[in-house]
Amino acid sequence: MNYEEFKKKLYMEIQKIYGENATVKIEKMLKPNAQNYEGLQIIKKPRDLIAPIINMEELYGIYIEKGFRIKQCVQWICELLDATKQDADLAEFSKSVRTWEGVKEEVYPMLLFTETNREYLETVVSMQMLDLSIVYMVSKKMRKREVYSVKITQGILKEYGITREQLHEQAVKNMRKEDYRFISMDTYVKLLLRFMGMDDKKWDESRHSPMYILINNSNINGAAGILDKELLKEFAGNNNYFIFLSCIHEAVFLPDNGELEREEINEMVAYVYANAVEEEERLSSHFYYYNGTTGEIVME
């Protein structure tokens, strides 16, 4: 059975089980940086904002590799939905995400490169910043599980009854709870070595780097820290910095001491972007510039 036949058969069996009152969809799921996939989603109630999404391509791979029958795949999906229904953390998150008061303290910004995310950006609330787009996520850590998250779409924003500007203001305010901070490249490398279980004393102190890394305590979406103008001013003072945003999780600041050419810096950023950052985590392949006099980030 080929993939298209598999999808059609699975869809019919699932719809038969859950009945006409449930919405069964197999459609392209849009993710940042074109990491799209076809997903199966079963919505039992019209107002459900959260429902599990099964990656159809991965499921088909298991179907072929393990020699499963369609009925076994359907059974696995039903068991997954039953387990989800009994998940108290997910139920609490799903309930809280229905209202603005329930999520306002858990909304955070995320940066994406506009040009490579145009299709995805059509599905979410966003604001423009230079050639970047700011999008917004509800991200909440529950008792037993990892963080649950959901993107803020136009439909959800309408349900909350707030403006895009109010959403942005609250998201930037919430960032300050994430302990954004600048650390030297030397400290960053040592922390990385420790995380990898290696001896940080192997880092040669003589290889001192003038770079600083802006990160947060979760090490997720840390590049959004550049939205906090007070934080940048406190760090930079009146000094100028080149900013590298190769990865969505961090921002790299390099003081402009007049020794490096712009073209040279862009080549360095482009190399890191293409060779050292996973595709789903890529942000921008060129540098930005922090003007210490104006406190603004610009493109040159």
Side-chain angles (χ1 to χ4, degrees):
M1 186 182 301
N2 64 34
Y3 178 61
E4 292 302 321
E5 292 170 335
F6 173 78
K7 283 197 305 180
K8 184 176 180 180
K9 183 66 175 175
L10 192 72
Y11 173 86
M12 291 172 61
E13 292 296 325
I14 292 290
Q15 190 71 74
K16 190 187 301 181
I17 289 174
Y18 288 100
E20 295 180 358
N21 292 330
T23 300
V24 180
K25 299 187 293 185
I26 297 178
E27 58 187 8
K28 182 164 73 171
M29 310 306 297
L30 299 177
K31 295 190 69 179
N33 292 339
Q35 300 296 298
N36 306 328
Y37 65 94
E38 278 203 302
L40 167 69
Q41 192 172 30
I42 303 166
I43 302 174
K44 295 182 180 180
K45 299 176 183 178
R47 291 191 72 250
D48 281 349
L49 293 177
I50 299 174
I53 299 173
I54 292 99
N55 188 315
M56 287 295 295
E57 292 151 29
E58 290 183 358
L59 183 59
Y60 181 67
I62 295 171
Y63 165 79
I64 294 296
E65 183 181 343
K66 303 290 186 182
F68 283 176
R69 292 173 296 173
I70 286 290
K71 286 188 177 180
Q72 288 175 291
C73 293
V74 170
Q75 182 181 357
W76 178 82
I77 291 169
C78 292
E79 289 174 355
L80 175 64
L81 290 179
D82 287 343
T84 300
K85 186 178 179 180
Q86 296 169 21
D87 188 327
D89 282 352
L90 181 58
E92 182 182 331
F93 178 70
S94 182
K95 183 178 179 181
S96 68
V97 84
R98 291 182 178 278
T99 66
W100 176 237
E101 288 304 315
V103 301
K104 66 182 295 185
E105 300 300 325
E106 314 293 342
V107 172
Y108 298 96
M110 173 182 175
L111 293 180
L112 297 175
F113 191 63
T114 300
E115 185 59 34
T116 53
N117 285 282
R118 292 199 180 279
E119 188 178 16
Y120 176 79
L121 290 169
E122 290 178 2
T123 69
V124 297
V125 178
S126 66
M127 294 186 75
Q128 197 70 20
M129 176 187 174
L130 303 175
D131 60 352
L132 304 172
S133 290
I134 309 164
V135 298
Y136 307 90
M137 306 286 291
V138 175
S139 184
K140 191 170 185 177
K141 189 173 183 179
M142 306 304 290
R143 290 180 295 271
K144 299 181 296 182
R145 300 280 294 275
E146 68 278 3
V147 174
Y148 287 109
S149 63
V150 62
K151 63 186 179 184
I152 302 294
T153 63
Q154 293 290 350
I156 292 177
L157 187 68
K158 184 177 180 180
E159 189 128 343
Y160 290 162
I162 61 170
T163 65
R164 185 178 60 167
E165 290 70 26
Q166 287 174 306
L167 175 65
H168 177 80
E169 182 181 352
Q170 184 65 43
V172 173
K173 178 182 176 183
N174 290 342
M175 281 171 46
R176 296 181 182 123
K177 298 183 296 185
E178 285 290 289
D179 187 27
Y180 277 86
R181 61 198 182 279
F182 285 89
I183 61 174
S184 70
M185 178 64 81
D186 297 317
T187 300
Y188 181 79
V189 171
K190 286 187 174 184
L191 290 173
L192 189 60
L193 289 172
R194 289 178 202 166
F195 177 78
M196 296 170 65
M198 300 171 66
D199 185 0
D200 64 10
K201 293 179 182 178
K202 291 183 178 180
W203 176 249
D204 185 356
E205 293 290 352
S206 66
R207 296 168 62 186
H208 172 69
S209 168
M211 291 184 180
Y212 288 84
I213 316 293
L214 174 58
I215 59 172
N216 58 23
N217 59 5
S218 66
N219 295 313
I220 296 175
N221 297 327
I226 65 171
L227 301 176
D228 190 336
K229 291 187 176 182
E230 292 180 15
L231 176 66
L232 300 192
K233 193 64 178 176
E234 182 180 336
F235 162 74
N238 294 323
N239 299 311
N240 300 327
Y241 282 84
F242 296 105
I243 305 175
F244 309 159
L245 299 174
S246 301
C247 177
I248 61 174
H249 298 310
E250 64 197 27
V252 179
F253 283 65
L254 174 67
D256 179 9
N257 56 17
E259 295 180 2
L260 293 172
E261 296 291 335
R262 265 57 172 169
E263 184 177 344
E264 191 178 8
I265 295 172
N266 263 337
E267 287 176 359
M268 179 169 58
V269 178
Y271 180 84
V272 171
Y273 174 88
N275 297 280
V277 182
E278 296 291 336
E279 193 170 350
E280 63 269 23
E281 297 179 351
R282 289 176 182 171
L283 185 50
S284 177
S285 61
H286 64 84
F287 77 84
Y288 300 81
Y289 195 78
Y290 179 78
N291 187 311
T293 302
T294 64
E296 297 293 332
I297 296 173
V298 297
M299 290 169 55
E300 292 192 342

